Amino acid sequence: MSAHVTDKPLLTVEHLTMRFGGLVAIDDVSFQALDREITAIIGPNGAGKTTVFNCLTGFYKPTVGRLTLHHPSKGDFLLERMEGFDIPQHARVARTFQNIRLFPAMSVLENLIVAQHNDLMRASGYTFYGLIGLKGYKRAEERAVDRARHWLDRIGLTKQADWNAGNLSYGDQRRLEIARAMCTQPVLLCLDEPAAGLNPRESADLNKLLLAIREDEGIGVLLIEHHMDVVMGISDHIVVLDYGRKISDGTPEFVRNDTAVIRAYLGEEEEEELPPEVAKDLKPN
Amino acid sequence: MAVLAEAKPVAGRLDPALLLKEAGAIAGIVFALTIALVGLRTKDVPGGLDIVTRFSDVFAATIVAFCGRLGLILLREGRALPVLLVSLPFALALMALLLYVQLWAPHAGLGHYLPFDSTVVNWCLAIFALILAGRAAWSLWHAASTKSAKEREQTMDRVAVGVQKAATLLGPLLLAFAIVLPFLPFADRRILDIAILVATYIMLGWGLNIVVGLAGLLDLGYVAFYAVGAYSYALLATHFGVSFWICLPFAGIMAAFAGILLGFPVLRLRGDYLAIVTLGFGEMVRIILLNWYKFTNGPDGISGIPRPSFFGLPFTANPPEGTQSFHDFFGLEYAPIDRIIFLYYLILALGLVTNLFTLRIRKLPVGRAWEALREDETACRSLGINPRNTKLTAFAIGAMFGGFGGSFFATRQGFISPESFTFIESAIILAVVVLGGMGSQIGVVFAAILLIGLPEFFRELQQYRMLAFGAAMVTIMIWRPSGLLAHREPTIRLFPKEAARASRK
């Protein structure tokens, strides 16, 4: 990714609304994410965080709203109008999943090669050149293996490259999924709870990896996370959702002290709202 | 397993009442099942139907079930010795008696001592007794008499890996054998016909393997493409006199189009739903062939389909004026078997093309995308793989090979009718793929030999063939649900040398 600096934000979400029948999962949410920044989306369970991801990556078509991705070299893409499988290929938005979705019966290396499908497909002349064994495809495949190797080195799974992905430990699978997303050469990487189920040490490694991706690749990272140490430790910018609405948006320090956020997470101080007779009953204790 | 582990320490004293109760329960079930099904039989007699009773068989079955269960319980409780002492002599005695009665004294009164009337059932009984004896001997040999299912699966996996590694050696050997087969002394017309049939199913199995094994799309209507290929060739050849070699690619293309036609409506379906729609598609094609009388000649079928020629040289004794036939051209004596040998090589070549194509395409992006699609469609979408195109190519390419197989079928038979394209054909091809291990090329070969070759050899046992077929499927599903040789070798390795070293160990 070039170190192209533009004044336009990488991702602009405007008035995003998603309704499922009568249920409003996301209600008029707007925010921005910049490249070379980690933007975290946090909020209690059911706040609509994953739905935002699903809209961004084409799994859902938003009911209302505009999602503009500003690609540094290709220009603007309106994600809400694109087919799901075109978004990673053209707009270069990659994602991981809350429940890991690797290809378990395929090897670790194959997982990373499949991620480069579209480039390889073109190089293999949509299979025809590949079938007759032209040199061009061989070279493209070698390049793909090099890229996979690069990411295996970075996540420390080089030795396990020929294992079945399903045989890796949970933490390794999480990292492999991130590497697989990175092999699609994204400009925006969307991570859905990457630290879920990791032990503190793995979680710290993950932080390092994400910071390194931000520094070295110069891409934007969008992060859904419940682990506050991860979120507060590495985010440059935090968006807080609650019941599908954005309730806060700013730097970690700002969000940490925002009363709306505290209320959403810890609840309001409800003592005064108790009916007088209940309060009276509670008092002797 | 936990129950077994707890039962072991008290193996010292067995409660005979419990033992008898369990074995008796099984015997009771067998009795209840067989009393009406086996015990009573209607028979045509002059003046109507009569009921014949065969209660001796029912009692024999009940006693066999009781003893067999007792043996299994004793095995489970770690008392293998008595089981071995009873079952082995029984099996050997029964086999000796059977052989004696069958081979030397078919009319002697000894036959009355056999437990069942039917020879096949007696043989089954002998084999079961032998298996029981084998298990007992095995558990005497090894202290641990029971293996957990997981351990068994791992052992089988190791075997599969071993066979797959051997397959790199075995494959060329099998191929060499297949190539010289027509010239071996025992290769008569019958053997070659069976070989052609087996090779046809191997080819179809490899074709279906693309759809089911690689792309993971359960297709129960594969015979539809076989039919499209057969009718494409038959109609083109009989109406326009086009030669086999020109028709072959055309039949493949027609079948591929049929594959795309089927693919479009089922793009969003998975698993069971997909299976049902493909099943319906297979039936639709057959019913269209049956009822579109003007086009397909309906149930009468198409006859007089031209036989294939050796690059224009026909295999006939008396070629028409002004043309040469195969034996004239090469100065050979005319032999009708030449045509069979040619057909054999034809299907062998078609099968090899299918195999090479599959092996090759597995290592190309589209092949990897098929496998990824089988693993997780959602993840594929998130990586920019177009599931629609990927599925359609799998359907089209799988169907294309079905079409090739179909035109071969048409030229071999010389006559086709919708009768040949019933659901059972799809089921057999699918069984070949599933039994062999989804996605495994060599597994398909073994499964086709097992499922098609052996039953053909044992044609005399007509009525029991399907029974054995069913039994084989059930056994496989219990012992190895993922198929005989389901080990998957990665399409690309980062450390190929290490893998080679590991396999040499």
Side-chain angles (χ1 to χ4, degrees):
Chain A
M1 296 305 106
S2 62
H4 190 86
V5 181
T6 46
D7 31 339
K8 267 195 166 176
L10 179 64
L11 174 75
T12 313
V13 175
E14 293 162 284
H15 306 294
L16 176 64
T17 300
M18 184 76 214
R19 290 194 202 98
F20 298 104
L23 177 83
V24 184
I26 313 174
D27 188 7
D28 197 23
V29 168
S30 304
F31 66 92
Q32 295 184 336
L34 307 180
D35 54 356
R36 300 179 166 278
E37 267 199 8
I38 295 178
T39 306
I41 302 179
I42 63 171
N45 285 327
K49 305 179 296 285
T50 301
T51 312
V52 171
F53 267 30
N54 283 339
C55 289
L56 281 176
T57 48
F59 283 87
Y60 297 155
K61 287 266 164 280
T63 320
V64 181
R66 171 181 284 195
L67 311 164
T68 317
L69 183 101
H70 180 73
H71 191 288
S73 51
K74 291 192 200 166
D76 287 354
F77 290 95
L78 295 176
L79 300 182
E80 79 276 8
R81 297 192 186 166
M82 293 173 71
E83 282 273 10
F85 50 82
D86 279 339
I87 290 177
Q89 187 185 353
H90 299 295
R92 299 282 177 184
V93 179
R95 75 170 289 182
T96 66
F97 295 87
Q98 198 170 345
N99 43 342
I100 303 173
R101 283 182 175 276
L102 289 170
F103 306 122
M106 300 176 83
S107 78
V108 170
L109 180 63
E110 281 175 312
N111 268 273
L112 299 183
I113 302 275
V114 168
Q116 306 174 51
H117 174 78
N118 288 306
D119 291 344
L120 286 173
M121 202 65 184
R122 239 167 279 124
S124 74
Y126 298 91
T127 310
F128 294 109
Y129 300 162
L131 266 184
I132 48 177
L134 287 193
K135 275 267 159 55
Y137 171 66
K138 272 261 148 60
R139 275 199 296 274
E141 197 182 56
E142 276 160 21
R143 276 200 303 279
V145 172
D146 285 344
R147 178 170 294 125
R149 171 98 201 217
H150 167 75
W151 281 104
L152 284 174
D153 289 340
R154 289 191 73 162
I155 60 171
L157 285 179
T158 316
K159 280 216 176 100
Q160 289 92 325
D162 296 331
W163 291 19
N164 273 3
N167 293 347
L168 293 178
S169 73
Y170 189 82
D172 289 349
Q173 293 197 9
R174 282 260 175 231
R175 287 211 304 283
L176 178 60
E177 206 188 10
I178 295 172
R180 188 180 67 179
M182 285 310 295
C183 277
T184 64
Q185 297 172 272
V187 294
L188 177 66
L189 176 66
C190 303
L191 302 172
D192 199 343
E193 297 199 23
L198 300 189
N199 62 34
R201 198 201 150 127
E202 289 172 322
S203 181
D205 285 347
L206 179 79
N207 282 3
K208 269 187 230 151
L209 177 68
L210 293 185
L211 288 172
I213 286 176
R214 182 189 65 177
E215 291 308 314
D216 305 345
E217 310 295 319
I219 65 172
V221 178
L222 209 56
L223 177 75
I224 293 179
E225 193 46 76
H226 280 301
H227 284 214
M228 279 308 142
D229 46 342
V230 176
V231 173
M232 293 300 168
I234 63 171
S235 308
D236 301 296
H237 170 199
I238 296 179
V239 176
V240 190
L241 300 184
D242 190 25
Y243 294 109
R245 287 201 196 85
K246 186 170 89 171
I247 56 171
S248 183
D249 186 347
T251 61
E253 291 70 37
F254 173 78
V255 166
R256 198 198 304 258
N257 300 317
D258 191 340
T259 48
V261 178
I262 295 167
R263 207 181 305 132
Y265 269 88
L266 301 176
E268 301 195 42
E269 290 184 33
E270 287 179 2
E271 212 174 343
E272 306 140 295
E273 288 174 15
L274 289 172
E277 55 269 34
V278 178
K280 205 167 69 192
D281 285 350
L282 285 173
K283 258 201 181 129
N285 297 342
Chain B
M1 282 302 120
V3 179
L4 289 185
E6 282 163 23
K8 262 200 179 152
V10 288
R13 30 193 187 83
L14 284 173
D15 186 355
L18 268 179
L19 255 173
L20 291 181
K21 201 173 150 195
E22 195 179 335
I26 295 295
I29 291 172
V30 170
F31 181 76
L33 281 175
T34 49
I35 182 76
L37 287 176
V38 178
L40 303 174
R41 188 179 185 198
T42 54
K43 195 180 171 189
D44 262 326
V45 289
L49 278 177
D50 196 12
I51 291 183
V52 185
T53 56
R54 296 188 292 181
F55 291 124
S56 62
D57 278 1
V58 174
F59 289 123
T62 310
I63 291 167
V64 163
F66 183 81
C67 296
R69 187 68 195 191
L70 207 60
L72 283 176
I73 299 169
L74 287 174
L75 269 185
R76 196 181 67 195
E77 302 293 338
R79 305 222 164 164
L81 193 62
V83 178
L84 182 65
L85 286 182
V86 175
S87 59
L88 190 62
F90 175 74
L92 293 179
L94 186 59
M95 282 164 118
L97 188 62
L98 271 167
L99 282 177
Y100 180 72
V101 170
Q102 269 185 315
L103 297 179
W104 289 288
H107 302 297
L110 278 173
H112 290 300
Y113 295 105
L114 290 170
F116 294 100
D117 289 340
S118 153
T119 320
V120 176
V121 177
N122 279 323
W123 272 111
C124 287
L125 180 58
I127 290 166
F128 283 139
L130 207 59
I131 291 172
L132 194 61
R135 276 194 60 179
W138 177 260
S139 50
L140 277 179
W141 194 262
H142 297 271
S145 66
T146 44
K147 271 190 169 184
S148 72
K150 186 151 190 199
E151 284 168 331
R152 201 168 60 205
E153 188 69 15
Q154 280 171 349
T155 322
M156 287 295 284
D157 260 335
R158 272 201 297 279
V159 172
V161 173
V163 173
Q164 225 116 12
K165 274 176 190 146
T168 47
L169 211 84
L170 202 65
L173 271 179
L174 270 177
L175 179 60
F177 175 74
I179 288 172
V180 298
L181 177 67
F183 303 107
L184 296 178
F186 61 85
D188 54 4
R189 169 87 198 240
R190 177 162 163 268
I191 299 276
L192 276 181
D193 272 338
I194 294 176
I196 290 174
L197 195 69
V198 171
T200 312
Y201 278 97
I202 291 176
M203 184 200 163
L204 291 174
W206 277 337
L208 184 62
N209 212 353
I210 294 175
V211 186
V212 178
L214 292 185
L217 304 162
L218 187 53
D219 187 350
L220 287 179
Y222 194 61
V223 78
F225 310 126
Y226 191 46
V228 168
Y231 270 87
S232 301
Y233 171 60
L235 289 172
L236 282 172
T238 50
H239 287 297
F240 303 107
V242 188
S243 99
F244 177 75
W245 296 104
I246 297 170
C247 281
L248 189 68
F250 195 77
I253 292 169
M254 290 293 285
F257 271 120
I260 292 173
L261 203 66
L262 164 68
F264 261 112
V266 301
L267 278 173
R268 286 164 184 279
L269 304 179
R270 289 179 204 191
D272 316 353
Y273 306 100
L274 177 72
I276 291 169
V277 177
T278 52
L279 177 87
F281 183 78
E283 284 302 285
M284 264 165 58
V285 168
R286 188 177 64 86
I287 289 168
I288 289 172
L289 293 178
L290 203 58
N291 290 294
W292 196 358
Y293 195 84
K294 278 185 185 157
F295 186 59
T296 65
N297 215 14
D300 302 339
I302 301 174
S303 53
I305 302 168
R307 304 300 192 150
S309 55
F310 185 83
F311 300 103
L313 302 171
F315 291 92
T316 45
N318 304 306
E321 273 307 303
T323 58
Q324 263 189 322
S325 76
F326 178 75
H327 66 282
D328 289 336
F329 188 83
F330 287 98
L332 300 168
E333 196 76 355
Y334 173 72
I337 200 151
D338 282 353
R339 191 173 60 80
I340 308 294
I341 294 176
F342 176 68
L343 281 174
Y344 173 73
Y345 280 125
L346 183 58
I347 187 64
L348 195 64
L350 283 175
L352 284 180
V353 167
T354 315
N355 188 26
L356 287 180
F357 185 90
T358 312
L359 289 180
R360 184 113 211 181
I361 208 159
R362 255 195 85 202
K363 301 188 181 214
L364 287 175
V366 68
R368 293 200 185 107
W370 288 340
E371 292 201 74
L373 206 63
R374 174 192 71 199
E375 297 290 306
D376 195 325
E377 188 173 335
T378 309
C380 279
R381 291 170 65 92
S382 83
L383 296 175
I385 294 172
N386 182 336
R388 181 186 63 213
N389 293 357
T390 312
K391 277 188 190 178
L392 286 182
T393 45
F395 270 121
I397 291 175
M400 181 180 79
F401 287 115
F404 289 159
S407 40
F408 172 79
F409 176 77
T411 192
R412 176 171 105 100
Q413 299 292 99
F415 167 78
I416 52 169
S417 75
E419 286 282 288
S420 314
F421 307 107
T422 51
F423 169 66
I424 191 75
E425 288 298 317
S426 294
I428 290 176
I429 303 167
L430 187 67
V432 164
V433 174
V434 172
L435 196 69
M438 302 238 237
S440 162
Q441 297 291 96
I442 193 89
V444 167
V445 176
F446 286 132
I449 292 172
L450 261 175
L451 285 185
I452 315 296
L454 287 188
E456 281 302 316
F457 270 110
F458 297 110
R459 259 218 176 268
E460 296 80 55
L461 310 179
Q462 262 297 346
Q463 45 192 330
Y464 299 101
R465 281 167 65 217
M466 290 318 276
L467 195 69
F469 191 91
M473 288 305 276
V474 171
T475 317
I476 286 290
M477 286 303 115
I478 291 172
W479 276 80
R480 196 151 164 83
S482 45
L484 282 175
L485 300 173
H487 172 73
R488 178 183 176 279
E489 189 61 19
T491 57
I492 187 167
R493 281 180 178 276
L494 198 54
F495 308 111
K497 280 176 199 157
E498 257 175 41
R501 207 178 309 136
S503 73
R504 245 179 278 132
K505 267 177 200 164

